[in-house]
Amino acid sequence: MNKNQAFPWDHPRFRSWIGVARACQLMQQAVTRAIADLGIKPPHLDILVNLYRFDGISQQELARKLLVGRSNMSMLLPQLEKRDLILRKADAKDKRVLRLSLTKAGRSLTEQAMVIQTGLIDRILSQTPEDRCLQVAESMEDIIRILQTMDADEVAEDA
Amino acid sequence: MNKNQAFPWDHPRFRSWIGVARACQLMQQAVTRAIADLGIKPPHLDILVNLYRFDGISQQELARKLLVGRSNMSMLLPQLEKRDLILRKADAKDKRVLRLSLTKAGRSLTEQAMVIQTGLIDRILSQTPEDRCLQVAESMEDIIRILQTMDADEVAEDA
DNA sequence: TGATTTTTGTTCATCGTTGTACTTTATTGT
DNA sequence: ACAATAAAGTACAACGATGAACAAAAATCA
């Protein structure tokens, strides 16, 4: 009777998750404002950071990492290409895939953006001791694993 | 030199926050699928749960709680009203505000949805001990507080 | 009281995301 | 080798969120 509260908001795990969701929403808004001066928005930043880290990735792989659809990449990447921030080169072995990479300008912009983003994260987590951060990271890894296996289950059910 | 890593993804707080963001994104998708059978989506659920908890709230207050714009409420609430899930009654004292409340059907639907949502959260946090959840909740409260004061600062700067 | 400013809610144009259908290229199976 | 299937990327229509401009009502203040 202790864990089955009358209302969700009296439920510790529920309250905890609501807090996570709110923090994310606010953080998203803060990031949006923080990088607005660079002329990019969070979706662009996510792309750029991933290209910075994984040079030569394909659109498909990028979409999977970002948890969005392929069509989303097909909309956003040409924009960044036209701004000369990224390059899309057809793969020699497989003519279907486009290999993505940052231009010099793109790399430079990404570095500026990452400084801003990291600064923001540092500021926001300043009240949270580092070991607490690591614990949070661990918990999130668990959650992500469970959610991903849930997705796999549902796909399996469909078959 | 220990805390100033070369790359953001070697930075503990950065990795930690990326995990939080990914977990949120996946959770959002899971909730969307879980409540689809009820004919509602996360934004509707957020509204319904808040009306369940705060009967008679105004559209403005609701928008503030949900961290969205007023116009968003002006778009969504009429939909729910047409489906007879909520009621909008003009306030007697202040003719500008509309007092929101759930209908019987709305309350019933909300209860079903909350069961689903709470079940999902329980499942997802099943690997996370309850004291760990409370720690996460604490950290999130800190973060939310900081982000909100940052917003206030920026507004102040504009003045 | 009367003028100005705030507040509440709405409307609308704009932008971003999604899912579906489609084309082109690889892979698989026979 | 050839047909069928799968995968990568694109185009487009539909939906949702946002912010600015607006109308009505209330609060402020002179």
Side-chain angles (χ1 to χ4, degrees), chain B residues 2 23 26 28 34 41 48 50-51 64 66 70 73-75 84 93 104 110 117 135-137 143 146 149 151-152 156:
Chain B
N2 200 8
L26 284 165
Q28 178 86 347
K41 301 192 172 180
L48 292 173
N50 270 277
L51 292 193
R64 224 191 297 276
L66 300 182
R70 286 170 306 204
M73 295 298 98
S74 279
M75 305 287 282
D84 283 317
K93 314 267 179 183
K104 202 161 176 115
T110 305
Q117 193 186 17
Q135 289 181 358
V136 170
I143 291 167
I146 292 170
T149 62
D151 287 357

Side-chain angles (χ1 to χ4, degrees), chain B residues 3-4 31 39 49 72 77 89 95 100 102 112 126 128 152:
Chain B
K3 303 211 170 192
N4 230 342
V31 171
V49 170
N72 197 345
L77 292 172
K89 263 195 347 189
K95 292 175 192 167
L100 306 171
L102 292 174
Q112 294 176 55
S126 60
T128 308

Side-chain angles (χ1 to χ4, degrees), chain B residues 14 19 30 44 62-64 67 69 82 91-92 103 110-111 117 126 129 131 146:
Chain B
F14 186 89
H44 305 123
L62 183 56
R64 224 191 297 276
L67 304 174
K82 284 184 189 72
D91 187 304
T103 62
T110 305
E111 281 161 359
Q117 193 186 17
S126 60
D131 60 330
I146 292 170

Side-chain angles (χ1 to χ4, degrees), chain A residues 66-119:
Chain A
L66 300 182
L67 304 174
V68 299
R70 290 180 305 254
S71 57
N72 196 346
M73 295 298 98
S74 278
M75 305 287 282
L76 293 175
L77 292 172
Q79 296 175 13
L80 296 176
E81 195 179 26
K82 283 185 190 73
R83 289 175 58 185
D84 283 317
L85 296 174
I86 69 168
L87 242 63
R88 297 203 292 172
K89 263 196 345 188
D91 186 305
K93 314 266 179 187
D94 188 337
K95 293 174 191 168
R96 289 172 305 181
V97 332
L98 293 177
R99 296 283 156 204
L100 306 171
S101 54
L102 292 174
T103 62
K104 203 161 175 117
R107 191 178 316 277
S108 163
L109 182 68
T110 306
E111 281 162 358
Q112 294 176 56
M114 288 192 301
V115 169
I116 293 174
Q117 194 186 16
T118 307

Side-chain angles (χ1 to χ4, degrees), chain A residues 118-127, chain B residues 13 146 149-150 153:
Chain A
T118 307
L120 195 53
I121 289 173
D122 267 339
R123 208 169 143 196
I124 277 154
L125 294 179
S126 60
Q127 299 305 308
Chain B
R13 292 191 211 273
I146 292 170
T149 62
M150 280 180 56
D153 287 353

